Amino acid sequence: MNNQQLMLALEMLELDIDISQNARAMIQAIQDQRRDRRQRGWWTRDWLLRRPIHGQILMFQELLHMVTPKIRKRNTWYRKCIDPGLRLAITLRYLATGDSYHTLIYGFRVAHNTICGIVREVCEAIVSVYSEDVLLTPTEPEQWKAIAEQFEAKWQFPHTLGALDGKHVPIRCQKNGGSLYYNYKGYHFIVLMALVDANYKFRWVNIGAQGGFSDAQIWNQSDLKQAIKRGLMGLPTATPFPGDDKPIGYYIIADDAFGMRTWLMKPFSRRGLSYDERIFNYRLSRSRRVVEHAFGILANRFRCLLSVMNQEPKTVHVIVSDCVCLHNTMRMRYNFR
């Protein structure tokens, strides 16, 4: 070995030594970092440990108990019926995910045409069992005042009986349907119009209006408006605001799409607003957001409402009604957001 080869060998040896030292330093740094890492403070959170009493399995068991008499089928000599638990699981899976019936075949081994009938039957059963208990519109002054107190406590907007707005639910273009369900967004819709309280619970709904109608048209033809105009809803009498002596009536809050009435409040719409008018618009809009939030919670909880629904409008009406009933049930009994 000549001098040049010897020098090259020494340089390579020094390089290996440097690399090994750097590697050791990196390993030592990682080990030190792991030692310095804060110890785990919680192994399992307290709210996760409450799953036996607040978990979704309790709601499934309640639903199954309530709707089984309505969805149970009889076995015959040539085939066995589908178990009520499986029928309910298929329906809830569709509502929660919005998967197509052809996709659900592989998860439950049930034909898509059978799933089509199951979803409608189970939704009708849930609506018939729960709608009278969880979807009640107040008709007494004390009930309306309780809602107004919630709005004043949570959103600092007194005398509010609910927030009103409409949501478009996309559907497939119907055969020979023309433009009945077509609207300015370029899709076919049915409209879910709702009155929501301060706790994001639906107090009144109107489902199934054609998407080509505006919110004002749907509201003007609704049964709730007619009942309020006739004095059949038991609205509270006017009382002063806190710290004031002038009686002010109770009202529903809405956006600019609706016509203003003594019992329906909307924001100032003209430009050049004064400071007090801008503050009023801010307070009203802040309170009215509860209906937008309720629609968002509903659609993200039941994701079938986010996709284009391929059923007939009558079936979509039943499915949306079922989603509203389940939403209110969870808000009232299983509020584990």
Side-chain angles (χ1 to χ4, degrees), residues 49-63:
L49 295 175
R50 293 196 295 269
R51 71 174 70 92
I53 58 174
H54 292 294
Q56 296 182 2
I57 187 64
L58 289 181
M59 185 171 183
F60 181 85
Q61 292 173 349
E62 178 189 343
L63 287 171

Side-chain angles (χ1 to χ4, degrees), residues 64-73 84 87 121-122 124-130:
L64 183 60
H65 174 73
M66 298 296 293
V67 304
T68 292
K70 294 181 176 295
I71 65 175
R72 180 187 286 120
K73 303 295 182 180
R87 296 167 67 88
E121 290 176 4
V122 174
E124 288 176 344
I126 293 175
V127 172
S128 65
V129 170
Y130 281 92

Side-chain angles (χ1 to χ4, degrees), residues 125-164:
I126 293 175
V127 172
S128 65
V129 170
Y130 281 92
S131 59
E132 294 183 358
D133 295 331
V134 302
L135 191 57
L136 291 176
T137 304
T139 56
E140 300 294 334
E142 292 76 14
Q143 298 173 339
W144 289 113
K145 286 183 178 180
I147 297 176
E149 291 173 358
Q150 293 175 356
F151 269 99
E152 183 174 3
K154 289 190 173 184
W155 306 108
Q156 294 77 52
F157 206 82
H159 288 208
T160 302
L161 303 179
L164 180 69

Side-chain angles (χ1 to χ4, degrees), residues 261-310:
R261 298 289 186 272
T262 55
W263 41 265
L264 193 147
M265 188 68 64
K266 56 185 285 188
F268 290 99
S269 57
R270 61 185 178 85
R271 296 182 179 180
L273 301 178
S274 65
Y275 177 78
D276 292 339
E277 291 172 341
R278 285 189 285 113
I279 292 297
F280 174 84
N281 279 2
Y282 164 72
R283 289 292 184 182
L284 188 145
S285 298
R286 183 171 175 265
S287 303
R288 195 190 63 80
R289 285 186 308 176
V290 297
V291 65
E292 304 290 353
H293 294 169
F295 288 147
I297 295 171
L298 178 71
N300 282 278
R301 179 171 280 161
F302 303 103
R303 302 187 71 83
C304 62
L305 303 179
L306 296 177
S307 59
V308 177
M309 305 183 72
N310 294 318

Side-chain angles (χ1 to χ4, degrees), residues 319-334:
I319 293 174
V320 175
S321 300
D322 178 62
C323 293
V324 171
C325 289
L326 293 177
H327 169 88
N328 277 5
T329 302
M330 285 187 278
R331 299 299 302 178
M332 295 169 61
R333 304 178 190 175
Y334 305 97

Side-chain angles (χ1 to χ4, degrees), residues 90-91 94 100-102 104-105 108 110-120:
I90 291 173
T91 303
Y94 168 73
S100 67
Y101 295 160
H102 287 80
L104 295 175
I105 292 175
F108 296 96
V110 179
H112 67 90
N113 52 350
T114 305
I115 292 176
C116 179
I118 288 174
V119 170
R120 181 181 177 90

Side-chain angles (χ1 to χ4, degrees), residues 8-19:
L8 181 60
L10 291 175
E11 290 178 359
M12 294 179 63
L13 181 61
E14 292 177 357
L15 181 61
D16 292 340
I17 294 173
D18 293 339
I19 293 176

